[in-house]
Each structure stands twice: as structure tokens, then as C-alpha cells.
Amino acid sequence: MTARAALKGRIEAQIARFEAGQRVDARVRDELIEDLAAWQATRIPEYGRLQRHGTWPPALPTDVFRFRRIAAHPEAEDLRVFRSSGTTSSERSVHVYRDLSLYDFAARAAARHMLFPDVDKMRLVMLAPHEDEARDSSLEYMLARFAEWFGTECTWVWRHGALDIELLAKQLRDAEASGQPVAVLGTSFAFVHAEDGLRDRRFELPPGSRIMQTGGYKGRSREVDRGVLLEAIHARYGVAAPRIINEFGATELSSQLYDTTLREHIYGSAGPRRLWVPPWVRATPVDPDTLHPVEGESVGILRIDDTANLDSVCCIQTADLARRLDDGIVVLGRASGATPRGCSLAADQALGAQ
Amino acid sequence: MTDDGPAVRARAASVFEAGQVLSTSTLAERALWLSDAASTLARQADGERDALSEATGLSIPMVEWATRTTLETITDNAMLALAQNARQGVDRALDPIGLLSVVLAGNVFTASVRGIVVPLLFGVPVLVKASSRETLFPAMLRNALRSTDSRLGAAMDVVAFPGGDAEAEAALVELAEAVSVYGSDETIEAIAARLASTPLIAHGHGVSVAYCGSHAVRGAHLGDTISELSLDICAYDQRGCLSPQLVFVEEAPDLSAMDFAERLAKEGLEPLSRTLPRGPLPVSVGAAQAQWRGIAEVEGTLFRGDTYSVSVREPQPIRWSPGFRNITVAGVRGLDEALQAMQPIGSNLKCVGTDSASMPELQARLTESPTLSAYACKTGTMQTPALDAPADAHPIWHALFRN
């Protein structure tokens, strides 16, 4: 058995234990992260150059995915290439895969647990393009798999680069009329377009319905505060606020984090809105100078060690601000645009000059 | 401290009236008063260094350095010389405006000094809108002026209100004959939208760089160059628009950009991290720092300490540092290549620090450049501009006189 195959087996075993309802030991996960990082450092020169700070393996900054191909396999073996949104190549992260089975395994397990814990399949409405229209988007890939795994039927209402408002309205009216719950999934900017396009049309989606929004705006719609958008979606679709959840994903990651409120609402518990971290993932706010974990609920920059990133780099340093809350994480948003540096160029503008 | 629209309006009227009284004094009197006020402020700042450190996010030694180097430029002789230059530069009888409103940014707390002292020198009263992040130093300056002379003190006041307070913004500018704005492009646009024909002096987004020619990196000069450059980088924790974000180094057979970067880190930034420590790193900047340093480390070009780092890059394309003592070094063959790399920065380039030997040619090339409006200054002085140094391609007295 190759080293890769052995590592892959250990990753799959973690996820399988979770799917089987068994506890995944954090120490086992941490050992796996160490071994994965060590293997990746020998195969990915860029990662191998990073120095360890503290006890954990070094974390690769997400920006590196914009400039370098980060992979433990040769380019000829690329099966799929995902790119983040952006208008120029230097703004787009690139994450290559030689094998999507781990991605699928992790995505299905997490979504089953947090988004569809109470139903096998249900009707889906996607405020996003079909993957055929966006072959390089990991989100569209994931939503297409959701349609296969969790959808009784699925309608894609973002077509040819725009939201089909009338099709969306029809799907929502049909759901109301049928009394069958529906899951509406899409990007935050698509929900903003829907807010603008639906005008005074409001809906009362059947009990059991749920909404998942994800991602930022990146200039693709007006920007709306997260709380304001949550309230607007609640008022527009007639879905209780706890059943409207945020998914946190990134092109550089193979696993996703979900708001806890839907699952807690379904099972009758209640807690603060926070992101659930899959047990095969370690999400940690770290101090920006030392890169060591911050104490308690202090704000740090979010490091994510995603064991499902087998063929790239497991340990990822994001630019998102985050803090721990109870057993989860609260992501406070991307930091660079808010840099209070007076007359110096803001970091995003500066980096944009490359 | 927060002022509403009526309060701002009342203070503007009061300052405007005080300006008419101030104008009856002589320029020599005002120069003397301002010099005395600067001395008073220096003593006050020394007593308030803990509070200033907390308000500005700079370490106490950095606060002390900043106040000392700024206020020691405010001498009566320097102001009289500046006035003389202004008379020659304006080429007509000086007719001071009735009120200047100044909007301050919070990144370099002493930046307010020149912007307030120079108008007062010419008898122009000043209404200051302090940064929401830093109101202490402008208030201390006001108090120092008041304790020096009642006419001078009455001609300057400080207001504070949140950005976006339309009534307060309108009140700030309605009596002003010119408005000087330090801050983001968004802040400048917001104020500009409130002005009809009133001149706006914009001190917007900007960056600075340094150029070290062959003379500066040769033999015994190298040590001085590294010391001077390190001070420019560390001053105000590299938060200001006069802070170098990028250093062009003319490479020599015995000194590569990598060599220079390593020496800059070890012999320049490391010692200063102890004598002029960096302040706490805001987590928002830290996020950018982690990305910036990580890329440099991946490229194998990072020299880092606990509170500084140096990255080596090609001159183009520029990868801007997040500030806070993270600097890029780029090797060049000479001034031509450095200037070529500066071109994309355009009017955002404020200052180019350089060595004495390179200064004449650099200044000449900047002057004749159709795209760059930066000025050149000696390394080691980038963050301590002379009282009469230009600001954003204009003389410091720009817009203080009626046509």
C-alpha cells in the first residue's frame, strides 16, 4: 500500500465513523493532520518551505493558491480544477484534484448531518448555476452532488448568468401549493438579487423547509449585512430564522462548516448561532503574529486543518477573522478591507495591483 | 467625545470669529506663540505618553519619538522661513482665508500638527474634525495653544462625530473657505460631495518607497543606509503614507537584494524592535500579514523576527506589504528600472526616500515625470518631513490664501 493510500484510508475511516454515529477522537484526527502535513511537505515544495510555528504543522496561506499550483501529484493527473470567483487570474485561487471521492464523502457526510438530518431527500431549488455552466466552481460541483444525493427534484433558477426571477417565484408558489417542504440553496449575492427581483412577492414555504446561503459578494450584488439578509430571507420566504443557515466553504478546502441552528431547531435544542466543525476538520482562530491558537473566545485569524485535503495541503491559513463560541466557530468576515491604515493603500487594493 | 450638528456649527462660528481677532496679530507674534505651544505640547505629551500609546496603538517609545521629532520642527525661525517661502511662492500679497476645516485620519497621530500649525501661522483659524480613533492628541494641541495665547487658542477647536453624520459634516464645512481632508478615498469623496466651490485639499490613499543606489550600499555607507531605512520603516509602525512599503536596491556584485534584505532584518529592524518596539498588531492587519509573509516564505525569500519581516521580490509586479513593519526589497540594476517599477503607482506615490548621492537625479526625474508627483527626501527622514515640505504635490500653504 502506498503512503497516499494509507492516508486516504485513515481519512475515510474518520468520516465513516462519523457517518456511523461513532465518536471521532480528536487525538486521532490530530495525528492524522501531522502525518498528512509531513507527507505533503515532502511532495509539495511550496509547503515544504514553510516553517513550523509552535507545535502544529505550518499552515499554507490561502493566497498561495492564487499564485502557485499546490498539489502532491503531477498536472497530468488533474481530474478537476476548481477556481474561486474573481475577474482576473491573480484574484482566483486554484485547487486541483486528482480524485474527488474524499471531497464527495466529506461533503455528503457534513450536509447530511447539518442540512438534511431529518429527511432522506427533498425538493431543491438552487439559486446558483448548474455545474455545467460553471465547471470550475467547487460550490456548483457540491450543489450538483446535493441534487443527486438529497434531491427528489431540483430546479436551477440561476441560468445563463442571471437569476430567473419568474422561475424562482413559480418554484416557491408550487412549494406553497403542494405543502411539501423545499430546500432553497444558493449564494448570498443570489439571495440579494432575489430580494431585488421579487419586489413585493412574499412566500410562506411549507413547514420543514430550509434555506442555505453561502459565500460573499465580491462585487456581484450590493453588499448586505449578514443579519439584515437573514431577516430579509426570513420575511421573504416565511422560513423561521433558525432554519436559515450559512455554509462556510472555500475553494481551498474540501470540507464545509455549517451553522448549527437548523439541526438544533430540528432536534429541539437551542444555542447561539455558530459554525459546526466536522470532526475530521480542526478549525482554530490563531494569533496573527505568533500563529499560535488564541485564548478562549478571543478573535484570531481562522486556520483550518482539513484532512479531506489529501492531494493539496491539509493545513490552511485563511484571511478570515473568527472566534470560538461554545463548541463551534463564529466567522466574523474577511479582514483585509477593514484595515484601518488611513492613507496607506488597503491590502486588497494593494494585492489587486499585482 | 461626540458633537452633533448644532454643536459643530457653533464651534465653527466661534473659531471663525476668533480668526478675525487672530489676524490682528503679527506673523512674528504667531510664530513665537506656536513655537511656545509646541514646547508646551511636548511636555504635556511626555506626561500623557501612556494615554497616547493606548489611543494611537503605538508603543510608548514610539510615541515619544513621534512627538519629539514632530514638535522639534516647530520653531519660530522655521516658521518665519516658511512664511518667507510662501510669500515668494504665492507671488502676491497674502490674503488669508477666513476658516480652514481639517478632517484628520488616525494612522499617524502627529500628522495633524503641520496641518494645523501652518494655517494658524498665517492667521487662518482651524476647525479640526478628529479621527474617531484618535481625539487625544488634537485636543492636547488645542489646550497647548490656549495656554500659550488666548487669541491663538480660540482660533482652533476640535470636534468629533461619527462618519456619515450628514448634519455634522455640513456644519463642519459650511463656513470654511478651504477643507483639508486626510483619510481614505471614501472619506474624501464624502466631504467633496458637500462642497460646491470650496477648495478641497485631499490627502488620500498613498504609499511611499525607497531607492538605495550603489553609493548607499557600498562599503561603510551600507550600515548607515540600513539604520536610516529601518527608522523610516519602523516609524509609526509603517502605517503612514510616508512609510516606505518597498525598497529598491541597486544590486552590486558583492551585494544582492537577498543579502541586503537579510542585513536589513538583522542589523536594522531587529535592534529597532527593541528600542522602538512595534505596537499591538490589529487582528485585521494580522490576517493580511499572515498571507503576505506566508507567500514570501513559500517563495523562500522571507527574513522575519517577532514583529517585522523582510521579503525579497522582483521589482514588478509590486506586491504591497500590509505595513506594520513588513517590507519588500526588490533588486534593480539602477534608477531607471526603479522608476519604471514606480510608474504604476502614479499619483498614489507620495515620497521616495533615497541616499544623498542619488537625490539630485531622483528629484529631477520625479519632477519631470508625467505620472509621478512624489517628492524625494533623504532616507532616515521620510517620516519626519520638514515644516515646509510639500504635501501631496502642493506647498504646505496651498489653499490658505485667497486668489
Side-chain angles (χ1 to χ4, degrees), chain B residues 100-129:
Chain B
L100 174 73
S101 290
V102 179
V103 179
L104 295 178
N107 57 326
V108 174
F109 74 104
T110 55
S112 56
V113 172
R114 284 207 311 154
I116 294 168
V117 165
V118 173
L120 289 171
L121 173 67
F122 291 110
V124 175
V126 184
L127 181 63
V128 174
K129 191 253 181 213

Side-chain angles (χ1 to χ4, degrees), chain B residues 307-319:
Chain B
T307 55
Y308 64 85
S309 74
V310 185
S311 162
V312 181
R313 295 267 299 177
E314 293 297 311
Q316 295 185 70
I318 294 171
R319 182 163 69 85

Side-chain angles (χ1 to χ4, degrees), chain A residues 4-44:
Chain A
R4 179 184 181 277
L7 288 165
K8 185 177 181 187
R10 290 168 64 188
I11 300 164
E12 289 171 333
Q14 280 194 127
I15 302 173
R17 277 185 68 84
F18 172 74
E19 279 204 314
Q22 297 173 321
R23 182 169 169 272
V24 176
D25 191 326
R27 284 176 302 180
V28 173
R29 177 203 59 194
D30 291 353
E31 285 172 10
L32 177 55
I33 291 169
E34 282 287 340
D35 294 346
L36 255 177
W39 179 75
Q40 290 165 343
T42 63
R43 299 182 67 88
I44 304 171

Side-chain angles (χ1 to χ4, degrees), chain A residues 8 12 51 58 62 106 122 161 168 188 210 216 221 262 327 349:
Chain A
K8 185 177 181 187
E12 289 171 333
Q51 294 184 346
T62 47
M122 66 190 301
L168 171 62
S188 299
R210 64 210 60 192
S221 75
L262 172 61
D327 55 352
Q349 291 172 292

Side-chain angles (χ1 to χ4, degrees), chain B residues 37-329:
Chain B
S39 300
T40 301
L41 178 56
R43 288 192 298 275
Q44 288 177 351
D46 192 47
E48 294 284 344
R49 55 192 174 181
D50 288 355
L52 280 169
S53 173
E54 189 174 341
T56 61
L58 298 170
S59 68
I60 288 173
M62 179 55 73
V63 164
E64 291 171 337
W65 178 90
T67 50
R68 178 176 55 78
T69 56
T70 302
L71 295 175
E72 70 187 10
T73 65
I74 315 294
T75 65
D76 49 349
N77 283 340
M79 283 182 285
L80 292 173
L82 184 149
Q84 182 65 27
N85 287 342
R87 283 195 199 96
Q88 292 168 353
V90 171
D91 195 25
R92 62 179 182 275
L94 301 182
D95 181 12
I97 61 174
L99 177 68
L100 174 73
S101 290
V102 179
V103 179
L104 295 178
N107 57 326
V108 174
F109 74 104
T110 55
S112 56
V113 172
R114 284 207 311 154
I116 294 168
V117 165
V118 173
L120 289 171
L121 173 67
F122 291 110
V124 175
V126 184
L127 181 63
V128 174
K129 191 253 181 213
S131 158
S132 54
R133 294 193 300 277
E134 211 290 279
T135 58
L136 179 59
F137 194 74
M140 289 173 64
L141 174 56
R142 176 191 59 198
N143 296 342
L145 296 171
R146 287 179 181 176
S147 70
T148 301
D149 182 85
S150 59
R151 286 167 289 179
L152 185 68
M156 182 268 192
D157 208 346
V158 183
V159 296
F161 52 84
D165 182 334
E167 188 186 358
E169 281 181 1
L172 179 74
V173 302
E174 63 194 12
L175 280 180
E177 284 187 62
V179 180
S180 178
V181 185
Y182 297 80
S184 68
D185 291 343
E186 293 74 24
T187 302
I188 291 168
E189 283 171 19
I191 297 296
R194 304 209 164 275
L195 304 176
S197 57
T198 307
L200 176 78
I201 312 162
H203 307 283
H205 280 319
V207 290
S208 292
V209 302
Y211 170 74
C212 300
S214 60
H215 178 80
V217 298
R218 193 180 300 149
H221 296 295
L222 179 58
D224 290 342
T225 299
I226 282 176
S227 297
E228 292 164 1
L229 200 51
S230 298
L231 183 60
D232 289 332
I233 295 163
C234 292
Y236 301 96
D237 289 347
Q238 207 187 6
R239 285 154 43 174
C241 51
L242 298 179
S243 302
Q245 305 285 328
L246 171 64
V247 182
F248 296 104
V249 177
E250 187 174 340
E251 292 186 287
D254 57 345
L255 187 84
S256 67
M258 289 287 273
D259 298 332
F260 183 86
E262 186 170 12
R263 292 190 65 169
L264 179 62
K266 288 182 178 170
E267 298 170 21
L269 299 178
E270 175 61 33
L272 277 181
S273 72
R274 294 189 291 272
T275 56
L276 282 179
R278 196 201 66 191
L281 183 72
V283 70
S284 55
V285 178
Q289 174 182 281
Q291 298 290 321
W292 188 86
R293 288 183 175 182
I295 291 173
E297 201 173 352
V298 160
E299 292 173 338
T301 65
L302 185 71
F303 301 94
R304 60 172 291 175
D306 288 343
T307 55
Y308 64 85
S309 74
V310 185
S311 162
V312 181
R313 295 267 299 177
E314 293 297 311
Q316 295 185 70
I318 294 171
R319 182 163 69 85
W320 292 109
S321 117
F324 281 78
R325 307 192 182 189
N326 294 287
I327 185 84
T328 301
V329 168

Side-chain angles (χ1 to χ4, degrees), chain B residues 27 47 154 254 315 334 382:
Chain B
L27 190 135
D254 57 345
M382 292 179 71

